[in-house]
Amino acid sequence: MPQFLFRQSLFLFLLNLLCCITASSQQVSVTADSVRAEFLYAWKAYKQHAWGHDALKPLSKRPHDWHGTSLYMTPVDAYDVMLLMKLNEEAAETKKLILDSLSFDRNIEVQAFEMTIRLLAGLLSAYQMDGDPRFLILAEDLGNRLLPIYKTPTGMPYRYVNLRTGVIRDPLNNPAEIGTALLEFGTLSKLTGNSVYYEKAKKAIVRLYESRSPIGLVGTWINVETGEWTNTSSHIGGAIDSYYEYLIKSWLLFGDAECKAMWDESIKAVNTFVADTSGGELWYGRVDMNSGKRTSTTFGSLEAFFPAVLCLAGDIPRARQLQESSFRMWNLYGIEPEQLDYSTMNATARQYYLRPEIIESACYLYRFTGDRRYLQMGEVFFRSIVKYCKAKVGYAYLEDVTTKEQADGMESFFFAETLKYLYLLFAPEDTLSFEDIVFTTEAHPLRKTWK
Ligand code: DMJ
């Protein structure tokens, strides 16, 4: 062979080899089945050690009930995932457990927000996916027991209510808990024909929006009797997060144009004042709601939901940019901390509570862009969770992401959201088309079945 031909073949061979190495390094070996297997692993642990209780404590292998009596948090939260994963046997047992035993006629004080996002939403999606009217009867009963929270001078709800007596408590509330009800209460109205739920939840979110500062931001705590803000820190993290999410999603599910207008105004203010850049990266920190002055450079696992919402709003470039920042946060310690100071890149709260938000955003970004980068991110998330959080029994949250020390809790949102979004990321798109549904903040899919 002439020398120039030999050189050319060698060059082509090396080029080919390089391409293969690059392609294989981008290959994703996690599948929807891998996620399903881990769901089953965690579910079997719940079943063996905590069946019929709110949750499993995986390290002590003990059940945990939030209120001393079970409201079946994990089964209700996890039921629709079983349907999506086609775990027919598990779904049938869980359905029987819920329908035979769940009762809201209990003399207990509950946090309305948690009841709404985990139970009311879980029952509504169960009804829509399974069709059994008993799920809707339970949802309606719960909705009626929650309604007393709205008896305030402003229409914004109290935080706690006794399920049996209707006694309410705590006028100090936050935007997330005030605003995160319209998808669930609105759907309950549409499905029962009783408009009261929609009206109460809508009035509350509008009143909250009207309480925004002159520069268009909300704070963290507000007195629902007086309408006075008691904490003016503005951000997109816990205690505010899903208020913004529900503005845009209520537009998408109900076509509520007022919600769309409130979202449009809010996102302008959030992008103007709360968004920040550090080291060339996009972050969302904390500012004062009245002055817009930056008060801290804190971002965390809860804020990581925002790329998903930005996708729904059509701002893909910003969604992509923020997801890269979140991914950097994840990779700092091999799994994300609860909170990070992005100016120093140090964790300021070191737990990882098995949260879903960063995975939810990867899932939306993959559906919206088709970019395999988000599958690769998903693989990293899945492998880290299995590596660090898998326990002898079930999955455990981490007390400290720097030491990977496990702690004795497995929240129901690990099933409802974390594993659901991971599964949907790797499963074929027609497992659940995002065009047909709107996810609640706890990832329960709601379908518009009404005109
Ligand atoms: C869930 O209960 C919901 O997503 C809520 O909106 C806040 N975050 C937790 C999971 O992290």
Side-chain angles (χ1 to χ4, degrees), residues 113-114 117-118 180 241-242 245 302 354-357 360 413 417 441-443:
F113 169 76
E114 297 293 354
I117 67 169
R118 302 195 202 212
T180 312
D241 46 8
S242 43
E245 179 184 351
L302 287 168
L354 296 167
R355 290 200 191 279
E357 287 78 3
E360 171 185 1
F413 58 66
E417 296 188 76
T441 196
E442 190 82 356

Coordinates of all heavy atoms in Angstrom, one line a residue, residues 113-114 117-118 180 241-242 245 302 354-357 360 413 417 441-443, ligand 1:
F113 N -52.1 22.5 52.7 CA -51.3 22.4 51.5 C -50.8 20.9 51.3 O -51.0 20.4 50.2 CB -50.0 23.3 51.8 CG -48.9 23.1 50.8 CD1 -49.0 23.6 49.5 CD2 -47.7 22.4 51.1 CE1 -47.9 23.5 48.6 CE2 -46.7 22.2 50.2 CZ -46.8 22.8 49.0
E114 N -50.4 20.3 52.3 CA -49.9 18.9 52.1 C -51.1 17.9 51.8 O -50.9 17.0 51.0 CB -49.2 18.4 53.4 CG -47.9 19.1 53.7 CD -46.8 18.9 52.7 OE1 -46.9 18.1 51.8 OE2 -45.8 19.7 52.8
I117 N -51.8 18.8 48.0 CA -50.9 18.3 46.9 C -50.7 16.8 46.9 O -50.5 16.3 45.8 CB -49.6 19.1 46.9 CG1 -48.7 18.8 48.2 CG2 -49.8 20.6 46.8 CD1 -47.3 19.3 48.1
R118 N -50.7 16.2 48.1 CA -50.5 14.7 48.1 C -51.8 13.9 48.0 O -51.8 13.0 47.2 CB -49.7 14.3 49.4 CG -48.4 15.1 49.5 CD -47.5 14.4 50.5 NE -46.5 15.4 51.0 CZ -45.3 15.1 51.4 NH1 -44.9 13.8 51.4 NH2 -44.5 16.0 51.9
T180 N -51.1 27.2 45.9 CA -51.0 25.9 45.4 C -52.3 25.1 45.7 O -52.3 24.2 46.5 CB -49.8 25.2 45.9 OG1 -48.7 26.1 45.7 CG2 -49.5 23.9 45.1
D241 N -42.3 28.9 45.6 CA -42.1 28.1 44.4 C -43.4 27.8 43.6 O -43.7 28.3 42.5 CB -41.3 26.8 44.6 CG -41.8 26.0 45.9 OD1 -42.8 26.4 46.5 OD2 -41.1 25.1 46.2
S242 N -44.3 27.0 44.2 CA -45.4 26.5 43.4 C -46.5 27.5 43.2 O -47.5 27.3 42.4 CB -45.9 25.2 43.9 OG -46.1 25.2 45.3
E245 N -45.7 28.3 39.7 CA -46.1 27.2 38.9 C -47.6 27.1 38.6 O -48.0 26.8 37.5 CB -45.6 25.9 39.7 CG -45.9 24.6 39.1 CD -45.5 23.4 40.0 OE1 -44.8 23.6 41.0 OE2 -45.8 22.3 39.6
L302 N -35.1 22.9 45.8 CA -36.5 23.3 45.5 C -36.5 24.3 44.3 O -37.4 24.1 43.4 CB -37.1 23.9 46.7 CG -37.5 22.9 47.8 CD1 -37.9 23.6 49.1 CD2 -38.6 22.0 47.4
L354 N -34.3 13.3 48.8 CA -34.9 12.5 47.7 C -35.8 13.4 46.8 O -36.8 12.9 46.3 CB -35.6 11.3 48.3 CG -34.8 10.3 49.1 CD1 -35.8 9.3 49.8 CD2 -33.9 9.4 48.2
R355 N -35.4 14.6 46.7 CA -36.3 15.5 46.0 C -36.3 15.3 44.5 O -35.3 14.9 43.9 CB -35.9 17.0 46.3 CG -36.2 17.4 47.7 CD -36.3 18.9 47.8 NE -36.3 19.4 49.2 CZ -37.4 19.4 49.9 NH1 -38.6 19.0 49.4 NH2 -37.4 19.9 51.1
P356 N -37.4 15.7 43.8 CA -37.5 15.4 42.4 C -37.2 16.6 41.5 O -37.1 16.4 40.3 CB -39.0 15.2 42.3 CG -39.6 16.1 43.3 CD -38.7 16.1 44.4
E357 N -37.2 17.8 42.0 CA -37.3 19.0 41.1 C -36.3 19.0 39.9 O -36.6 19.4 38.8 CB -37.2 20.3 41.9 CG -38.4 20.6 42.7 CD -38.6 19.8 44.0 OE1 -37.6 19.0 44.4 OE2 -39.6 20.0 44.7
E360 N -37.4 16.6 37.4 CA -38.6 17.1 36.7 C -38.2 18.0 35.6 O -38.7 18.0 34.5 CB -39.4 17.8 37.8 CG -40.6 18.7 37.3 CD -41.2 19.4 38.5 OE1 -40.8 19.4 39.6 OE2 -42.2 20.1 38.2
F413 N -43.2 11.7 48.2 CA -42.9 12.3 46.9 C -41.8 11.6 46.2 O -41.6 11.8 45.0 CB -42.7 13.8 47.0 CG -41.6 14.3 47.9 CD1 -40.3 14.0 47.6 CD2 -41.9 15.1 49.0 CE1 -39.3 14.5 48.5 CE2 -40.9 15.6 49.8 CZ -39.6 15.3 49.6
E417 N -43.1 11.6 42.7 CA -42.5 12.6 41.8 C -41.1 12.1 41.3 O -40.9 12.0 40.1 CB -42.3 13.9 42.5 CG -43.5 14.6 42.8 CD -43.2 16.0 43.3 OE1 -42.9 16.9 42.5 OE2 -43.3 16.2 44.6
T441 N -48.2 20.1 41.3 CA -46.9 20.2 41.9 C -46.3 18.9 42.5 O -45.1 18.8 42.7 CB -46.8 21.4 42.9 OG1 -45.5 21.8 43.2 CG2 -47.5 21.0 44.2
E442 N -47.2 18.0 42.8 CA -46.7 16.7 43.3 C -46.7 15.7 42.1 O -46.7 14.4 42.4 CB -47.7 16.2 44.4 CG -47.3 15.0 45.2 CD -46.3 15.3 46.4 OE1 -45.9 16.4 46.5 OE2 -46.0 14.3 47.1
A443 N -46.7 16.2 40.9 CA -46.6 15.3 39.7 C -47.8 14.4 39.5 O -47.7 13.3 38.8 CB -45.3 14.5 39.7
Ligands
DMJ1 C1 -43.2 18.2 46.9 O1 -44.0 17.9 47.9 C2 -43.9 19.2 46.0 O2 -43.2 19.2 44.8 C3 -43.9 20.6 46.6 O3 -44.3 21.6 45.7 C4 -42.5 21.0 47.1 N1 -41.6 20.0 47.0 C5 -41.9 18.7 47.4 C6 -40.8 17.8 46.8 O4 -39.5 18.3 46.9

